[in-house]
Amino acid sequence: MLSVEGLEKNYRGKAVLAGIDLTVGAGKIIGLVGTSGAGKSTVARCISGLERPSGGVIRWDGGRLGGSRSRRQRREIQTVFQDPRASLNPRWTVRRSLREPLDTWFTDRPRSDRDAAAASLLEQVGLGGDYLERFPHELSTGQCQRICIARALAPEPRLLLLDEPLSALDLPAQAQMLDLLRELKSVRDLSYLFISHDIVVVSLLCDEVAVLEHGRIVEHVAAGTLLTASAHPHTRALIADTPILPRRGADS
């Protein structure tokens, strides 16, 4: 469905991405993992159109991303960013934040249908209709991220670019968000490019994982064997740096 071939990005003559090859098939969750500064978010920004690649090709459904089909393509690829509070307009109610993409993409639908769609989106992310008139400062960080996911779902995308969507959340909220993402993928038949620094999280959620180091993908590996059979030294270093929680009942 999505194919990234030889993606390059330079900033002021410095290569941030160098020859990235990546594919996301229909119904798949592909993880992109690496340390801070590895270039993970730059990959997402190039795919979403927020950054212009310096080289390479990005294809969607076999055709080059952009050009005459760009508007439809952009509707089908939506992004959820790392900081949910920075992603929401503090002066807008939840209703207005959700109505904006609905009003943009579905002008042919009656206003009442778009109002109903906004309420339905809230229910799909585990929030009730009473949140529609709230402002971001009245919500927890986890609730704000659920609103951002609902907003990303509004254009009825096929692929979500999830750029560190858990990093601003505490551990209980992260676990709840993972459950939500699994449920939404199943119900809405979505594909994800899930970007994270947390190698354990990607091993639990994803089907396959690409490991990024200094702007290059150094390993592609099945998520089920990521923690046990990875061959590249950088991947093994990421695993070694991952804190291991003690088992229940173990001595402190």
Side-chain angles (χ1 to χ4, degrees), residues 166-183:
L166 309 183
S167 63
L169 310 180
D170 59 25
L171 287 177
Q174 287 185 17
Q176 294 169 5
M177 192 63 66
L178 285 174
D179 288 340
L180 174 63
L181 291 173
R182 292 188 184 100
E183 180 181 356

Side-chain angles (χ1 to χ4, degrees), residues 175-194:
Q176 294 169 5
M177 192 63 66
L178 285 174
D179 288 340
L180 174 63
L181 291 173
R182 292 188 184 100
E183 180 181 356
L184 290 172
K185 176 188 176 296
S186 176
V187 171
R188 298 181 68 105
D189 194 25
L190 292 166
S191 299
Y192 297 153
L193 177 60
F194 185 86

Side-chain angles (χ1 to χ4, degrees), residues 102-180:
L102 293 168
D103 293 342
T104 298
W105 294 107
F106 305 117
T107 55
D108 57 326
R109 298 181 184 179
R111 182 182 180 88
S112 59
D113 287 358
R114 283 175 268 161
D115 278 333
S120 176
L121 286 167
L122 277 185
E123 293 179 1
Q124 290 175 49
V125 298
L127 300 176
D130 55 323
Y131 284 85
L132 283 169
E133 305 308 324
R134 298 191 189 185
F135 291 88
H137 72 270
E138 300 177 291
L139 306 174
S140 69
T141 303
Q143 289 168 340
C144 285
Q145 191 63 295
R146 288 173 184 262
I147 299 301
C148 291
I149 292 173
R151 184 180 60 183
L153 294 175
E156 300 177 2
R158 297 165 56 201
L159 171 68
L160 287 187
L161 306 176
L162 300 163
D163 187 5
E164 295 274 13
L166 309 183
S167 63
L169 310 180
D170 59 25
L171 287 177
Q174 287 185 17
Q176 294 169 5
M177 192 63 66
L178 285 174
D179 288 340
L180 174 63

Side-chain angles (χ1 to χ4, degrees), residues 7-181:
L7 180 64
E8 299 179 357
K9 180 61 182 178
N10 301 323
Y11 288 115
R12 299 179 180 177
K14 179 181 178 181
V16 178
L17 301 177
I20 299 294
D21 294 325
L22 189 68
T23 60
V24 182
K28 294 294 185 180
I29 304 178
I30 304 301
L32 184 61
V33 67
T35 57
S36 178
K40 304 184 301 296
S41 294
T42 304
V43 173
R45 292 175 68 84
C46 286
I47 295 172
S48 66
L50 294 175
E51 295 280 359
R52 184 185 296 275
S54 303
V57 177
I58 303 174
R59 302 185 188 278
W60 179 249
D61 279 346
R64 190 159 185 156
L65 192 62
S68 61
R69 299 195 303 162
S70 179
R71 180 172 169 80
R72 179 184 66 80
Q73 292 168 338
R74 296 305 177 196
R75 181 178 72 80
E76 293 179 337
I77 304 173
Q78 295 293 313
T79 306
V80 177
F81 297 97
Q82 178 175 354
D83 186 347
R85 294 195 181 278
S87 300
L88 296 172
N89 188 326
R91 298 185 179 184
W92 284 11
T93 63
V94 170
R95 181 190 299 276
R96 186 173 179 185
S97 291
L98 295 181
R99 278 294 303 268
E100 182 191 34
L102 293 168
D103 293 342
T104 298
W105 294 107
F106 305 117
T107 55
D108 57 326
R109 298 181 184 179
R111 182 182 180 88
S112 59
D113 287 358
R114 283 175 268 161
D115 278 333
S120 176
L121 286 167
L122 277 185
E123 293 179 1
Q124 290 175 49
V125 298
L127 300 176
D130 55 323
Y131 284 85
L132 283 169
E133 305 308 324
R134 298 191 189 185
F135 291 88
H137 72 270
E138 300 177 291
L139 306 174
S140 69
T141 303
Q143 289 168 340
C144 285
Q145 191 63 295
R146 288 173 184 262
I147 299 301
C148 291
I149 292 173
R151 184 180 60 183
L153 294 175
E156 300 177 2
R158 297 165 56 201
L159 171 68
L160 287 187
L161 306 176
L162 300 163
D163 187 5
E164 295 274 13
L166 309 183
S167 63
L169 310 180
D170 59 25
L171 287 177
Q174 287 185 17
Q176 294 169 5
M177 192 63 66
L178 285 174
D179 288 340
L180 174 63
L181 291 173

Side-chain angles (χ1 to χ4, degrees), residues 203-220:
S203 73
L204 293 173
L205 179 67
C206 302
D207 299 306
E208 300 174 15
V209 178
V211 182
L212 193 66
E213 181 186 20
H214 301 314
R216 296 179 182 273
I217 291 180
V218 297
E219 186 172 22
H220 289 271

